[in-house]
Amino acid sequence: MVKSNALSDNRTLGPEKASTPIMPHAKPRVTIIDTDPGIDDAIGILLALASPAFTIAGITTVAGNIGIETTTRNAGRLLAFAGREDVPVFQGAAAPLSRPGPEPLNLHGEGGIGGVDLPDPIREPEGLNAVEWLAGFLLDQPAGTVDVLALGPLTNIARLVLGQPDAAKRIGRIIAMGGAIHEHGNVGPRSEFNLWADPEAAAAVVASRLPLVLIPLDVTRRVRATRALVETLSASGKPLASMVGSLIESYFESTANRESRPLHDPCVMLFALAPELFRVEELSLSVDIGSVEEAGALTIDGSGTPVQVALGVEGLAALDLLARHLAAS
Ligand code: BDR
Ligand code: CA
């Protein structure tokens, strides 16, 4: 059992707060992870692999933090590390729908995933393109039973929505890390990276009216990894937990702020695991597809599309849940 007060230097969850249980009573959800790993993507993927709440049907990759060859390889490396060659990887979009791709972010190191020691992939990526596989898989499964956890630019999901709407309609729910509502952006004054990297894709997904929960910076900046979390994870002696500790270490290396780092993408998994830790509002949103400066910015207006947006989170309880899942794996 991870002590919750080991997660931050001098904050506790408080004695009155019961921990969110790890074992869900419900059946595991069939889940697809769409991702551009990415250090925080990697942490989210390992968390999902550690949790009995998800049956991971496949990982689809997208260019974002770094180029598509590297994000695809990183997905394979993580699965090899976790001993999960049963999970197939499908390579997706190499570039946004209609504009040049972003330069790779230095934030995630040259290999896109920090300097951590991961094995080479054991299983090659599948021959089928991510969007073709998504469409076929969704059409094969009962409608509403497959969730998509989206951790990168929304290019693959938009291609599915625009090209294969009958398949897209069968998605149970998309939970996507992206956007900034009341917070300043991380690539522009109002723009967050995932939506900024492919704003046309984000606009198509938002306008599709598919069941979508957006997890913006307003929430992810409040779920922060600390040195104490690294120590807790490493002390557990569990391989997935120790690897997440190493990933957080390398996340610290990439910034001047060495005190704490936001765990953006893992918040998607944490929302799926424990929505009660989040405060959600329905907002009518439109996505800016204009200039670079404002691209991907979200505006709340009457002419937008209603979207469920997480605006608050119990940050320490979310971290505690992450640590307990990893330590129990
Ligand atoms: C998002 O951008 C990427 O750098 C992270 O992996 C995350 O998905 C945060 O803005
Ligand atoms: Ca990401």
Side-chain angles (χ1 to χ4, degrees), residues 40-41 65 105 108 151 177 186 192-194 217 264-265:
D40 59 328
D41 300 72
N65 283 316
L105 296 182
H108 299 254
L151 313 182
M177 191 280 134
N186 59 3
E192 177 280 330
F193 177 79
N194 286 342
L217 294 176
H264 301 295
D265 292 336

Side-chain angles (χ1 to χ4, degrees), residues 232-249:
T232 300
L233 292 169
S234 308
S236 78
K238 295 293 174 63
L240 294 193
S242 300
M243 177 53 69
V244 167
S246 305
L247 286 160
I248 295 170
E249 283 283 4

Side-chain angles (χ1 to χ4, degrees), residues 81-162:
F81 172 77
R84 291 297 304 273
E85 294 84 61
D86 57 305
V87 178
V89 174
F90 299 87
Q91 182 163 307
L97 289 186
S98 56
R99 48 177 93 196
E103 293 296 316
L105 296 182
N106 292 331
L107 206 59
H108 299 254
E110 220 173 87
I113 210 167
V116 294
D117 193 14
L118 285 169
D120 288 337
I122 294 175
R123 179 169 168 179
E124 287 292 311
E126 307 303 302
L128 208 55
N129 170 273
V131 180
E132 283 169 49
W133 175 71
L134 273 166
F137 185 75
L138 287 163
L139 290 169
D140 263 3
Q141 302 295 311
T145 60
V146 179
D147 292 340
V148 176
L149 306 184
L151 313 182
L154 289 165
T155 319
N156 290 334
I157 318 296
R159 286 195 183 284
L160 181 76
V161 163
L162 298 171

Side-chain angles (χ1 to χ4, degrees), residues 184-225:
H184 59 89
N186 59 3
V187 285
R190 300 197 306 125
S191 302
E192 177 280 330
F193 177 79
N194 286 342
L195 303 197
W196 169 85
D198 194 348
E200 285 78 11
V205 173
V206 166
S208 71
R209 293 182 181 261
L210 291 179
L212 170 66
V213 181
L214 210 53
I215 313 285
L217 294 176
D218 304 61
V219 155
T220 65
R221 284 186 174 140
R222 280 158 193 86
V223 181
R224 305 191 72 89

